[in-house]
Each structure stands twice: as structure tokens, then as C-alpha cells.
Amino acid sequence: MVNLEIIRGEMEKKLTVDKAIHSVIVQADTIEDCLDDASVQLDAKIADLEYEVEERGFQGVMGLAKKPWKLRIYENPRLVKQKLEKQQQEILANAQIAQEVKIVDADGRFFIHYFDSDIWLKIVLPIGKGKPVSQGEVLSAAKRSNTLELDEDLIKKACKEGTANDYAIVGRYRRVAGADATFAVDISKDEMQATIMVTPPGEGGSEVSEAAIRKALQTQGVVAGVSSEKIQEFIDTPVYNTPYVVAEAIKPVDGRDAYVAYDFETDSTKLRLKETQNGQVNFKELNLIQNVVAGQRLAQKQLAERGKGGKTVTGRYLEAKNGKDIQVQLGANVKFDTDGRTIIAEKNGQVMLVSNKVTVEEIYEVPGVNIKTGNITFMGTVIVKGNVEDGYDIKADGNVEIYGTVGNCKIEAEGDIIISQGVMGRDEGVIKTAKSVWARFIQNTTVEAGEYVVVNDNIMNANVTAMKKILLKGKRAQIIGGHLFATEEISAKNIGSPAGGTETILEVGYDPKAKQRLVELQEMQSGLAKELDEIDLNISTLENQKEIRRSIPKEKEEALMKFKEQKADIVERSNQMTEEISQIQQHLHELRIVGRVNASGSVYAGTKIFVRDEKDEVKNDCKAVSFYFENGFVRRGKYDQSQVTSDVGAPDGYSTN
């Protein structure tokens, strides 16, 4: 319900805002010049000003009958209100800060001056443990031979409460007008400064008051840059026979030039080593690459700013220079956003400044991966001209091309991985990609490929998985030891170890990832079954004790409840695994891919061939043979070159030349 108090409150708020609105009347040749002048006087941006036309201007004819514009200009009331609210918040914040700041002790002070025929007193209260002003000292200083009267009660009150940093009349004295202080206002030739020169008063004469100084400045045409602080300082502690600055011009402020604010480090020397959570430095993580993804903001052009004009002490306008604009040129794989100022990446890669242009490089090239480069993580393609040394890893969003060898490393990519020499993983190396792996040889390494694994020499004692095919194509294209999975085909010249002793297992005709997951689930379920047997035994023991004794201790009762909760959790997890196992088995059963293992040379005794879960363990060496699935069994047929994949193309982004 709206009542009188609510209306009064709203009116008081509006009155506060209205009082805070300052306006000036300005005359100039154009409206723009009027606004420029007013922005200086009101200390506000031109965009925040509003105006009313009091007299319309006229450009005249041939310079004759020219008439200036006369405007009343003021700040936007809404912005004034926001300023007031901000000021109130700042006052509260400053008050809180002031409470936290350590108080510095300072004694109280007093100032006595004689203006016209009155005695004026100003009391500054002490701070902290400072001493207050003594009433006796004030009375002693105020009582002169020409003092006519003093209000001692007012002086006593002022000494106790202060005068709010202002002067108060506390008495009268016998003034001798001829002994009054005199002063003159001097304006510098460039109108950038106004000073006063004051001669001291004689005995019984009046000092120069603030009102007199302001009136004299106004009379001499000083209308801008008058410093209340300097005038107040002079009144408190006058400086005689010396020029004293009381007004200074409002200097123009040139607008800032346009520039580009970068969201990445443009100086590579400032890139820092990464630290672990405990503060230790990982020297393998050198943090040399600044990765970005498509659509990411990289930099933004900051617009040139309009200059803010100044004013001489006499009000003459001082023009400011506007900031200069710049043209921003773009490098490769970047573009402007819809605002025309923000630079964003068009592709994944490394952001850098090349010839002063923001650029995203899709390829990161290094001579080798070692202590100088550290581990590499790159949102694009990585090219290594040399070797990848033991213990260093590469992770790329694109391809990885390595001209040398790969040691005990972890190489991961979303694109193809091409290794010109080969991989010696020392039983710990890992090669993983969503696409294909191309290498000269693979030894003692785990390889996972979303499509093909193509090798020119040999695969030895490695665990290799390909969602499509594993193909060995060189003169010595052989598979010795290890475990190989492929959905469609495994082809080589020789398979197995001629001397025996090294187990070689090849599996085709199913989804290798689903098969691996099936094995994992079965092993996990077997472990849960053993755990469940132990829990059932514990539950049975405690329940038998409870049945015989009719009650068991509290801790055993809690243990029984805990065992039952564990059992329920294990049963639920096991049921979920059973459901997933059933789904995988159904998927593998329905898989229509036949799968083949082809050997143009020899398959040595001891080699195990699985096609769609059916096994053929080679007892005797056989030559030029293909293994395939037919009527529920693994069949052997004569090696047929037409059944072997001859070409899988080249890696993405590469020609066959």
C-alpha cells in the first residue's frame, strides 16, 4: 500500500539526485564544441551529457551575422544516481578500511585569524592518543590588546568537539582598516596558472579571507582550476610576499591510441615450467606450447579513445588529441568475431605472434623430443625430425610424424601416427590413436589403433590392436611373439617363432575392444564372486552366533549390518556386469565380419590362431596359408594374394609420392 511515508521517501531520493546534478551554460560555435567544453567543466564523458538549447546558433553568411550556440548542459540523471550509489558504497568500504588501518596518534591543532572585524577559530581534533587543544592556549592566543569580546563558551565547546574543519566566529576585535592586508592576482601569460601575492596586515588590520580571494579571482576572470585545498592551506598558514598558486589550468588528456590486447603470452621467454601441487618443477613439462581450440578468443582490438579537452584558468578551451586507430592484420587460421574486433581461432593448434600477426599454427615441428623440448601436448599435428627419447611423451590432436625412432614413450593422437624408423618400447611403451599407425617395426610395445596398423618390417613381442586390419608388407614382414587383435584381417609373410619358445597369438573376426572389455568384466566378476563368498561366510558366522546367544555385542551387530550392505552392493555390481557381458557376447555373436589371417611365407608351430573365438593351434609348420571361419570352425586354405589387402592408401594429409 502506498502511503505518505513511502512518497516522502521517494521524493527525498529524487531530491538527492536532483541536487547532485550539476549544469553549466556554455556558448560555442557548434553543439560539439559546447559539449567538449562542458565535459571538461563537469568532468564527465560527452556520451553521459544531456543538454537544452537556450539560444540557437547561426553559421552566418560569408562570416557575417554569425551567432554562437548557447546550451544548458548537465549529466544524465540516471548516471548521476549511479555515481551517488557508487560513492556511498565507496564511503562504506573506506570506512571499513579505515577501521582496519592502524591509527596514527596526532595532537589537536588550532588556527586563529582576523577577517574583517571578527575573530575566527578553527579546531582540528586530536587523532588516537594525541593531546587535545587546550582552551587556555586558545584564549591566550586570541586575547590581544585590541580584542573587544570573546565567546569563551563557544571556544570551550569548539576545543571539545572541533569545528568540522571550518572556521567559526568566536569574537570581535578593534579593526584598523588602513592596516588591512593587501593582495593582487597574477595570471601567467599562457593562462596556465593564477597566483596571489599577499602583503601582511599591520597592527589591527584584517587578514585576507577565503571569500576575498575567490571574489578577486572571479573579478580577474579566473573561472577554472581554482583549488579549494590550496586556498584553505593559505588561510590556515598564510605565506606573505611570495607568489602563491591558487589555480591551475585543467590540462588536456590525449586519447589513448588503439592497441591489441593479447590473451596469450607473446614473449616466449616468459613461458614458465609447470609445477606440481607440492610446488616441485616437472622438467619434462616445459610448457613451451600455447594450445588453442577452434572458436577460442585469442586477442581483442581496443578502440582508440577520444581525447579529453582541458581549460586554462580563464576558461579558454585546450584541445586534446584523439587516439590514433590501427589496422589489425590477421595471420593464418584466425578470423574476426562478429564484433569485428575480437580475434578467434579458426582451427586447433598453437597460437603465436608471427610478423606482428596473430597466427594459429596447425603443425608443431621439433628436431627431436628430449630434455630440450620436454613432453609435447599439441592441438594439431606434431612433426619430429629426429628421435623421441625414452621417458618423453607426445599427445596431439592431429597427426604425429616421427622421422626417427621411438623409445619407451607414450604417443597419443587423434590422427595418424607415422614412425619412419620404428618403436622399441621396452615392454612399457604405448602407441594409441583413433586412426592408423604406420611404422617400420614395432617391438615390445602396446599399440591401439582405431583403423589400421601398417608395418614394413616386423612386429615382435608386442600387443597390437586394430579395429580394422594389421598389415605387414616388407621382405621380412614377420610377426614374432606377442598378442595381436584385428577385426578384419592380419596379413604377414611369416608368423610365429621358428625356434619356438615365444608365444604368438593372433585373433580376428570380432570387435577387439569389445573382446578386451569382455575379458576384463569376466575377471572382475570372478574377483567379486570370491569376495562375495568371504562376506557370505562372515554373515553366516555372525547370524549363527546371534541365533545361539539370541544377542551379540553392538560392534558385531554393526559389523553384520556392514557385511549385508557390502553384499547388496556386490550383488548389484555383479548383476550389472552380467548384463553388460550378455550384451557384449550378443554383439560378438552377431558380428558378421568373417576375419582372415594370411601368411605368404610360413606359420610356425606353436602359433595360436583365433577366428571368431574358435581356435586353431598350429602343431606343425605350414606355408602359404590363410585361416578363416566356416561352419563354426577355423579352416585353412591356400594363401590367395587376392584375399590380402594390397593398399590402404596413405595417412591423412600425405600424398603417395
Side-chain angles (χ1 to χ4, degrees):
M1 180 178 178
V2 179
N3 54 36
L4 185 60
E5 290 300 321
I6 294 174
I7 295 173
R8 183 181 290 114
E10 292 298 321
M11 292 299 292
E12 287 177 354
K13 291 180 182 177
K14 188 175 186 304
L15 181 61
T16 302
V17 174
D18 290 343
K19 285 181 178 179
I21 297 174
H22 301 291
S23 66
V24 292
I25 295 176
V26 182
Q27 287 185 333
D29 292 340
T30 65
I31 293 177
E32 289 75 14
D33 291 341
C34 289
L35 290 170
D36 282 337
D37 194 346
S39 71
V40 175
Q41 296 189 50
L42 296 174
D43 190 24
K45 296 179 180 178
I46 292 177
D48 298 341
L49 298 179
E50 296 183 358
Y51 63 88
E52 298 172 1
V53 178
E54 297 205 344
E55 293 182 10
R56 296 184 65 84
F58 180 61
Q59 291 183 350
V61 180
M62 302 293 290
L64 300 175
K66 189 175 183 180
K67 183 181 178 182
W69 288 82
K70 185 178 181 181
L71 305 180
R72 179 179 293 277
I73 303 176
Y74 50 89
E75 289 186 87
N76 186 309
R78 178 178 57 81
L79 298 174
V80 173
K81 184 178 179 181
Q82 291 176 356
K83 283 185 179 180
L84 285 174
E85 292 174 349
K86 186 177 180 180
Q87 288 173 358
Q88 291 173 352
Q89 293 174 355
E90 289 177 352
I91 290 171
L92 291 173
N94 291 335
Q96 290 178 336
I97 293 172
Q99 290 177 352
E100 297 173 0
V101 174
K102 185 178 180 181
I103 296 175
V104 179
D105 298 334
D107 293 340
R109 294 176 296 154
F110 71 92
F111 304 91
I112 296 176
H113 292 287
Y114 298 82
F115 305 133
D116 297 328
S117 297
D118 298 318
I119 302 172
W120 296 72
L121 173 67
K122 177 180 176 180
I123 299 290
V124 179
L125 294 174
I127 299 175
K129 297 179 181 180
K131 296 179 181 180
V133 172
S134 167
Q135 181 183 350
E137 290 181 4
V138 175
L139 289 172
S140 176
K143 287 180 179 179
R144 301 192 311 187
S145 59
N146 62 349
T147 300
L148 297 176
E149 61 181 58
L150 282 175
D151 188 339
E152 294 190 14
D153 289 338
L154 183 58
I155 292 174
K156 181 179 180 181
K157 182 180 179 183
C159 290
K160 184 178 180 181
E161 299 178 0
T163 58
N165 204 33
D166 204 351
Y167 281 89
I169 299 174
V170 294
R172 295 177 62 251
Y173 73 101
R174 187 182 298 107
R175 178 185 178 189
V176 179
D180 288 350
T182 61
F183 73 100
V185 175
D186 181 62
I187 300 173
S188 63
K189 289 183 179 180
D190 59 4
E191 302 178 13
M192 298 299 287
Q193 198 174 69
T195 59
I196 56 173
M197 176 80 81
V198 183
T199 58
E203 186 174 350
S206 171
E207 299 176 71
V208 177
S209 67
E210 179 179 353
I213 293 173
R214 289 187 179 278
K215 185 176 181 181
L217 290 172
Q218 187 175 7
T219 301
Q220 294 297 320
V222 178
V223 296
V226 177
S227 172
S228 298
E229 291 79 10
K230 289 184 179 295
I231 293 175
Q232 192 62 51
E233 287 175 4
F234 180 86
I235 297 301
D236 289 344
T237 55
V239 178
Y240 295 117
N241 299 322
T242 301
Y244 190 89
V245 178
V246 290
E248 291 183 293
I250 302 170
K251 294 182 179 180
V253 179
D254 291 341
R256 185 191 64 205
D257 293 342
Y259 69 98
V260 177
Y262 299 99
D263 294 343
F264 60 95
E265 181 55 68
T266 58
D267 185 354
S268 60
T269 62
K270 293 182 180 179
L271 295 173
R272 303 298 183 192
L273 293 170
K274 288 185 179 180
E275 293 185 359
T276 59
Q277 291 182 347
N278 59 9
Q280 293 181 340
V281 174
N282 184 354
F283 287 96
K284 289 184 179 180
E285 298 293 341
L286 300 185
N287 198 26
L288 299 177
I289 303 172
Q290 298 184 83
N291 285 298
V292 294
V293 296
Q296 182 176 334
R297 172 178 145 162
L298 307 177
Q300 187 176 60
K301 175 185 174 182
Q302 303 299 312
L303 299 178
E305 291 183 349
R306 185 183 179 88
K308 190 174 183 180
K311 227 177 192 183
T312 66
V313 294
T314 59
R316 180 167 55 85
Y317 182 73
L318 297 174
E319 189 173 357
K321 295 179 181 178
N322 293 328
K324 296 179 181 178
D325 195 15
I326 59 171
Q327 295 296 322
V328 179
Q329 293 183 319
L330 302 181
N333 302 318
V334 299
K335 66 178 181 179
F336 282 117
D337 206 349
T338 52
D339 61 3
R341 296 192 299 123
T342 303
I343 301 172
I344 60 175
E346 281 192 304
K347 296 182 179 180
N348 298 348
Q350 175 185 202
V351 62
M352 58 180 62
L353 208 58
V354 179
S355 299
N356 220 29
K357 299 176 184 177
V358 179
T359 302
V360 172
E361 294 287 355
E362 291 185 275
I363 298 175
Y364 182 65
E365 188 172 304
V366 291
V369 179
N370 45 46
I371 193 171
K372 292 181 179 179
T373 61
N375 295 334
I376 293 176
T377 300
F378 185 60
M379 300 295 290
T381 290
V382 175
I383 296 179
V384 182
K385 294 290 189 177
N387 301 330
V388 182
E389 296 184 6
D390 288 345
Y392 290 93
D393 303 334
I394 299 175
K395 184 180 288 188
D397 188 55
N399 294 346
V400 174
E401 182 177 355
I402 301 166
Y403 290 8
T405 59
V406 175
N408 177 11
C409 307
K410 187 173 183 180
I411 313 294
E412 294 184 70
E414 290 298 317
D416 294 312
I417 297 176
I418 305 98
I419 304 168
S420 297
Q421 295 303 314
V423 187
M424 294 176 287
R426 295 176 175 81
D427 296 326
E428 294 181 1
V430 176
I431 309 293
K432 187 181 294 186
T433 176
K435 290 195 173 180
S436 300
V437 174
W438 308 68
R440 182 178 175 184
F441 61 84
I442 298 173
Q443 296 179 3
N444 303 92
T445 305
T446 298
V447 178
E448 295 180 16
E451 295 180 357
Y452 301 98
V453 174
V454 182
V455 176
N456 290 334
D457 199 336
N458 65 72
I459 296 177
M460 186 178 297
N461 298 321
N463 294 320
V464 181
T465 300
M467 293 303 294
K468 289 187 177 179
K469 302 176 182 181
I470 299 174
L471 305 173
L472 286 84
K473 293 189 163 189
K475 292 181 180 179
R476 296 182 296 170
Q478 55 187 351
I479 300 170
I480 303 174
H483 199 157
L484 279 64
F485 295 85
T487 303
E488 300 176 13
E489 175 187 343
I490 298 176
S491 293
K493 182 178 182 181
N494 299 318
I495 300 174
S497 174
T502 302
E503 186 177 54
T504 304
I505 303 174
L506 278 61
E507 300 188 48
V508 293
Y510 58 86
D511 183 338
K513 288 187 177 180
K515 176 68 174 179
Q516 288 175 351
R517 178 60 178 166
L518 179 63
V519 173
E520 290 173 3
L521 288 171
Q522 289 172 337
E523 290 177 353
M524 290 166 62
Q525 197 171 49
S526 177
L528 287 178
K530 292 179 181 178
E531 190 176 346
L532 187 61
D533 288 341
E534 293 179 4
I535 290 175
D536 280 337
L537 180 60
N538 291 330
I539 291 173
S540 178
T541 301
L542 290 172
E543 285 182 339
N544 288 336
Q545 290 179 6
K546 187 175 181 180
E547 185 177 351
I548 294 171
R549 300 177 184 177
R550 297 190 178 181
S551 66
I552 55 177
K554 183 179 179 181
E555 60 272 14
K556 289 190 176 182
E557 188 71 51
E558 291 176 352
L560 179 59
M561 293 297 296
K562 188 175 181 180
F563 283 133
K564 288 182 177 180
E565 290 174 359
Q566 290 177 346
K567 178 179 179 179
D569 178 61
I570 290 173
V571 169
E572 183 179 358
R573 286 161 57 194
S574 181
N575 289 339
Q576 291 174 350
M577 289 179 186
T578 299
E579 184 177 353
E580 188 176 354
I581 288 170
S582 177
Q583 291 174 352
I584 292 174
Q585 288 175 334
Q586 181 68 20
H587 166 68
L588 294 175
H589 179 73
E590 293 174 353
L591 202 61
R592 294 184 178 276
I593 298 172
V594 175
R596 297 182 72 89
V597 174
N598 301 306
S600 61
S602 300
V603 178
Y604 297 104
T607 301
K608 297 175 182 176
I609 308 292
F610 289 85
V611 184
R612 295 191 63 180
D613 280 339
E614 297 300 324
K615 182 174 75 170
D616 183 351
E617 185 169 356
V618 179
K619 303 295 185 181
N620 299 303
D621 296 352
C622 53
K623 293 185 177 182
V625 61
S626 289
F627 299 83
Y628 56 92
F629 185 83
E630 185 178 84
N631 298 327
F633 296 96
V634 178
R635 303 292 188 185
R636 298 183 187 182
K638 187 176 181 181
Y639 175 81
D640 184 352
Q641 181 65 39
S642 65
Q643 297 290 329
V644 179
T645 302
S646 59
D647 187 11
V648 294
D652 284 353
Y654 296 84
S655 69
T656 55
N657 296 329

